[in-house]
Amino acid sequence: MSRVPWRIWLLILMVLIGIAPLASVALAGLIAELNGCGLHEGFAQPCIVAGVDIGGLLYTMAVMGWLMLVSLFFLAGGLLGLAKEGVLLVVRKIWARQR
């Protein structure tokens, strides 16, 4: 098995940066739902979990979704780059078989 080139790792990192805001919003929604708390972008609502109010944290996590406007470019670039690398891999394999 060969080593993974650094450019593949960079593209994977770009994809992870691209989906991070979406993951933050999804996790905040899941935590709020499981604990019966309200969550919206208007203001932080109290949410008591294990005796600690995490409403402000959930609000911050939910508002981080707005970063998706910037991070979508990382996601798109990473996915396009990985698709290009996949196509190149297939072309190289086919080319090697024909020789």
Side-chain angles (χ1 to χ4, degrees):
M1 185 172 245
S2 64
R3 286 185 3 167
V4 178
W6 63 270
R7 65 184 181 277
I8 301 293
W9 289 114
L10 181 63
L11 293 170
I12 291 170
L13 179 64
M14 287 175 66
V15 169
L16 292 175
I17 289 171
I19 63 171
L22 178 63
S24 174
V25 172
L27 183 61
L30 178 67
I31 292 170
E33 181 74 27
L34 290 175
N35 292 292
C37 302
L39 181 65
H40 57 79
E41 292 182 346
F43 55 88
Q45 293 183 334
C47 183
I48 308 299
V49 177
V52 178
D53 182 13
I54 62 167
L57 175 65
L58 292 178
Y59 172 76
T60 302
M61 289 173 66
V63 173
M64 292 293 271
W66 284 101
L67 283 177
M68 184 66 102
L69 295 173
V70 175
S71 70
L72 278 176
F73 294 107
F74 285 95
L75 179 61
L79 290 175
L80 287 172
L82 287 172
K84 179 201 77 150
E85 291 294 332
V87 168
L88 285 176
L89 180 66
V90 170
V91 167
R92 286 181 187 137
K93 293 281 185 185
I94 291 172
W95 184 267
R97 283 187 183 168
Q98 289 181 352
R99 292 185 113 199

